[in-house]
Amino acid sequence: MSLRIGQPVPDFTATATGDTTLRLSDFKGKQVVVYFYPKASTPGCTTEGGDFRDRKSDFDAANTVILGVSRDGIRAQENFKTKQSFNFELISDKDESVCQLFDVIKLKKLYGKEHLGIERSTFLIDADGNLVREWRGVKVPGHVQDVLEAAQELHAS
């Protein structure tokens, strides 16, 4: 089953930083950005997370929650969040249940070797829990600005 634009996103439960268990339904009435990144504390993921961190007040003003997701363990996520002063929660998706829900595990090539990994992707969910936008195969520069503009537009409508 793959998510489609305009359809409700199934409620999911996940382990997150701050010793919390998050449910998508916890954010009913707010827009939610769920962004997937390959690995905590790597250069591209650090830049992307920093861009979300630096624009968080703008996302807040657009009634939008930010959640970062990777397959890293909770300790790696906590360290990443602390070291980078991220002002939003990171989800540890070791069992890949959230990754599979959003279909972001793809065959990737690194140094000529193939492996399954997270394709950098971002999803915007409206205040009613419906998927409204998706960005797949994301390139980091300028991406957070695109997501922010979509969130602001959605909030204004």
Side-chain angles (χ1 to χ4, degrees):
M1 177 207 128
S2 71
L3 292 175
R4 298 212 195 302
I5 301 290
Q7 291 187 326
V9 176
D11 196 18
F12 61 83
T13 303
T15 302
T17 49
D19 198 25
T20 55
T21 299
L22 298 178
R23 295 178 61 96
L24 182 59
S25 56
D26 295 343
F27 304 107
K28 204 84 168 145
K30 289 191 178 292
Q31 298 174 171
V32 181
V33 166
V34 182
Y35 83 95
F36 291 85
Y37 57 94
K39 190 154 183 48
S41 301
T42 56
C45 301
T46 299
T47 299
E48 184 180 27
D51 289 348
F52 276 112
R53 175 198 62 219
D54 296 346
R55 300 307 298 271
K56 184 173 183 296
S57 62
D58 297 322
F59 280 99
D60 289 346
N63 193 37
T64 306
V65 174
I66 302 163
L67 298 174
V69 185
S70 77
R71 299 184 301 179
D72 294 291
I74 196 64
R75 182 174 289 139
Q77 295 290 51
E78 289 286 4
N79 291 342
F80 188 34
K81 180 183 174 186
T82 300
K83 188 174 178 192
Q84 301 304 327
S85 304
F86 290 158
N87 44 11
F88 52 87
E89 301 306 332
L90 300 177
I91 290 173
S92 169
D93 192 33
K94 282 185 88 73
D95 69 359
E96 298 179 0
S97 60
V98 183
C99 288
Q100 287 170 4
L101 177 65
F102 287 89
D103 189 31
V104 297
I105 302 289
K106 303 292 180 196
L107 193 58
K108 298 170 80 174
K109 262 196 167 101
L110 184 64
Y111 307 119
K113 289 193 182 345
E114 290 189 333
H115 69 283
L116 287 173
I118 291 180
E119 176 185 50
R120 191 181 305 279
S121 306
T122 302
F123 301 86
L124 177 58
I125 301 166
D126 71 14
D128 296 320
N130 299 306
L131 181 63
V132 288
R133 287 285 304 271
E134 62 179 21
W135 294 262
R136 294 183 180 273
V138 166
K139 299 287 178 254
V140 173
H143 174 62
V144 170
Q145 183 62 35
D146 291 347
V147 176
L148 175 61
E149 287 169 8
Q152 288 169 329
E153 217 171 273
L154 180 62
H155 180 61
S157 65

